[in-house]
Amino acid sequence: MTASATSIGGFPLLHPVICGSGEPVMTEAGIRAALKAGAAGVIAKSVNENPAGGRQLDKADYMRLDADGAPTAGQGVSLFNRSGLSQRSTEDWFKAVAAIDRDARSEGRFVAASIVYASAEGAVSIASAARHAGLRVFELNVGAPHASEAAAGAIVQETDPDRLADLVRRVRAVTEGMQLWVKLTGLSSNLPALALAARRGGADAVGMMGRFMALVPDLETFKPVLGTSAAYGGGWALPIVCRYLALTRRAAGRELPLIGTNGVRSGGDVIRMALAGASAVEVVSVIMHEGFAGLTRVVTEMDSFLAERRLIFSDLIGQTADSLATYAEQPETPGRWRDFVPPETLAESV
Ligand SMILES: Cc1cc2nc3c(=O)[nH]c(=O)nc-3n(C[C@H](O)[C@H](O)[C@H](O)COP(=O)(O)O)c2cc1C
């Protein structure tokens, strides 16, 4: 057992850095590269049953943005994109993913199947196919950001707790013996209630939160970058995710394992998500910016952080969340605002 070992409920992980679902792991070669780069596990690129979801991939486009929010041909710090789903047949894809999972298992790693939800019937039939293929982990994404812009019905976002509990219950019924992880949207402030609903439905863990939808005006053309609204992520998102992790931990207790995603760019960010309550994290953008070496960098940085301070990763989970106070609990600091305004504001009136 190493200092970075963790687990998602009863499912042990070598360490907390999972390669999340996305284009880098749309192929067998990509999945193997993520494992080779050191990922504790991989969530293979998502499918769904609606052909419109796969067709959307042909209209996908991507732009890296620099620190000023401008499109850049360089590495960039934020990713702005509209995505689509895998165009492989589900049966064929899950068979390939399961074969890699069998190899990964001998090293203590895993490869999971994933669906971006379009309908309850589709989710049930795809979850059954994942189990039939022999996969150990199924991730049900009910909150992909593209739902509002993709063809009607291609991607559905579930933000109603009762409907979500019902959906998860139906998927749980066909995934007996598998890990069922539910990934929630970033476009709702109702995340603690949604997490509780997923748990009620039988989820083993809850992931949060999906990226946000955004519009980026281009200062050269005055047109929208990529021509549409699209999903937007960056390191800036991490503190927002951390707050929802902490609120969810408070609502659901430490027994519900949380997986953090959206904004991890460094080993320090993995630790931050853990302190906010995450047992593990899913990273994708770092790989889109830096290649799979970015994943290795994140794992190495996290290991160094733990080694330098002689810390055990699992001891850190939720520490910051558990000391989160309310405004009302703060001591009074009269006049503190004066330290944060220009001197003119404090000049004597004439
Ligand atoms: C290009 C791209 C494609 C993605 N495709 C999927 C997907 O098919 N299924 C899914 O559940 N999440 C998908 N995601 C979301 C990622 O798995 C991840 O949760 C999100 O990007 C936030 O993490 P990050 O800041 O490390 O990128 C995608 C993200 C990106 C950038």
Side-chain angles (χ1 to χ4, degrees):
M1 186 98 139
T2 62
S4 56
T6 183
S7 68
I8 297 180
F11 193 77
L13 296 184
L14 292 178
H15 63 71
V17 185
I18 297 169
C19 174
S21 182
E23 274 72 328
V25 285
M26 176 105 78
T27 62
E28 286 97 316
I31 296 173
R32 289 195 189 278
L35 292 168
K36 193 164 167 219
V42 175
I43 316 290
K45 178 65 188 177
S46 305
V47 296
N48 79 16
E49 79 287 4
N50 189 333
R55 275 201 303 275
Q56 165 62 36
L57 186 66
D58 294 333
K59 292 192 175 171
D61 203 356
Y62 312 79
M63 186 63 79
R64 295 183 180 89
L65 305 179
D66 66 18
D68 289 332
T72 173
Q75 190 172 292
V77 297
S78 289
L79 189 64
F80 180 66
N81 75 285
R82 48 175 188 269
S83 190
L85 297 175
S86 171
Q87 297 177 337
R88 294 265 291 267
S89 90
T90 298
E91 197 190 348
D92 177 45
W93 182 229
F94 285 2
K95 206 169 139 194
V97 171
I100 311 177
D101 182 49
R102 277 192 294 279
D103 295 345
R105 187 176 192 159
S106 60
E107 297 177 357
R109 301 175 203 270
F110 73 94
V111 186
S114 164
I115 179 177
V116 162
Y117 165 63
S119 73
E121 294 69 31
V124 166
S125 95
I126 283 174
S128 305
R131 183 164 177 237
H132 187 70
L135 283 151
R136 294 176 288 155
V137 180
F138 186 69
E139 188 167 271
L140 169 65
N141 183 345
V142 297
H146 315 280
S148 59
E149 305 292 325
I155 293 175
V156 171
Q157 212 172 82
E158 191 48 85
T159 51
D160 178 80
D162 288 337
R163 275 202 310 262
L164 178 64
D166 188 53
L167 169 70
V168 175
R169 213 169 280 125
R170 291 176 67 179
V171 172
R172 176 78 282 176
V174 296
T175 50
E176 201 187 318
M178 294 178 81
Q179 283 289 311
L180 174 58
W181 300 346
V182 174
K183 188 173 182 183
L184 299 176
T185 180
L187 299 172
S188 164
S189 55
N190 210 14
L191 290 192
L194 290 172
L196 286 168
R199 181 58 148 186
R200 254 196 336 275
D204 294 299
V206 172
M208 65 182 61
M209 51 206 281
R211 292 179 303 150
F212 309 103
M213 285 298 278
L215 161 69
V216 182
D218 188 321
L219 290 182
E220 299 303 323
T221 63
F222 298 175
K223 298 266 194 309
V225 169
L226 301 182
T228 64
S229 294
Y232 183 40
W236 49 267
L238 184 125
I240 300 169
V241 180
C242 285
R243 174 170 174 263
Y244 280 107
L245 286 166
L247 295 179
T248 304
R249 179 177 167 92
R250 179 172 296 173
R254 55 186 65 187
E255 290 71 35
L256 175 62
L258 302 177
I259 304 170
T261 188
N262 194 356
V264 172
R265 299 292 181 272
S266 67
D269 287 346
V270 179
I271 303 292
R272 290 187 175 100
M273 284 237 186
L275 289 167
S279 295
V281 303
E282 291 179 8
V283 302
V284 171
S285 296
V286 112
I287 302 165
M288 307 272 293
H289 290 299
E290 297 174 42
F292 287 102
L295 203 154
T296 311
R297 175 180 63 75
V298 169
V299 175
T300 309
E301 288 172 358
M302 179 206 55
D303 280 338
S304 306
F305 181 95
L306 295 174
E308 281 159 17
R309 294 167 177 77
R310 297 170 185 270
L311 293 168
I312 303 289
F313 178 81
S314 57
D315 291 344
L316 303 179
I317 298 170
Q319 280 202 26
T320 302
D322 295 344
S323 57
L324 184 64
T326 63
Y327 281 14
E329 289 163 332
Q330 301 311 298
E332 288 186 358
T333 50
R336 178 80 176 118
W337 63 271
R338 292 171 182 274
D339 300 336
F340 292 86
V341 295
E344 291 83 347
T345 308
L346 304 175
E348 293 294 327
S349 303
V350 283

